[in-house]
Amino acid sequence: MSDLRSEFHHGIEDIRNDIALLGAVIVELIPRVTEILLRQDLTGADEVLRGDDEIDARSIDIEERALTMLALQAPMASDLRQLAAGLKLAPEIERSADLCCNICKAARRISGHELDPKLRGLIQRMGDQARREYKQSIEAYVAVDEVRSSAMRDMDDYL
């Protein structure tokens, strides 16, 4: 029985690590798509759009593993909370990747049009804030830090 529980806890840790890695992809993607929008970088936009399927697949894999663990192991207390968090976060991270793709599509739509300097500044500040928030969220999740997690609402209000 001990080996089964050990394997179960390794599975939970693998899910946590995969969520952290997927979140890190978005943390790096946010400034990239901000720059793509500001520079109207059509090549960069296409690269991001082509990479979305991989993020989708990784998110689905995380969800499927978490659901399998729920079904087969009947976790309790903190193990259940960790798996539930994984089930909620994986599709949210995937949605964030979709929003990055939407920014790339917007860059393609506005290609050839000059952006107002005030708008450029606003877009840059929003991108910077979004990256900070996302990074803080992933770090709070990894650290299981409830205080930092609860502060995210205030940060999001600013954005």
Side-chain angles (χ1 to χ4, degrees), residues 5-85:
R5 281 328 247 180
S6 177
E7 186 178 318
F8 171 69
H9 285 109
H10 285 300
I12 290 175
E13 191 60 31
D14 287 345
I15 288 171
R16 287 178 54 73
N17 289 338
D18 288 347
I19 286 174
L21 289 171
L22 199 55
V25 168
I26 305 303
V27 168
E28 297 304 317
L29 197 55
I30 292 169
R32 183 173 178 204
V33 299
T34 302
E35 197 61 29
I36 286 169
L37 180 63
L38 291 174
R39 292 180 187 240
Q40 299 175 13
D41 176 6
L42 300 180
T43 302
D46 287 339
E47 288 172 7
V48 169
L49 292 168
R50 281 194 309 272
D52 187 53
D53 287 343
E54 180 184 339
I55 293 171
D56 293 349
R58 288 171 64 183
S59 172
I60 290 168
D61 177 63
I62 291 168
E63 286 182 87
E64 287 175 350
R65 286 185 290 140
L67 284 171
T68 299
M69 291 178 77
L70 280 172
L72 297 177
Q73 298 291 330
M76 303 291 277
S78 67
D79 293 339
L80 178 61
R81 285 190 295 274
Q82 287 186 43
L83 288 173

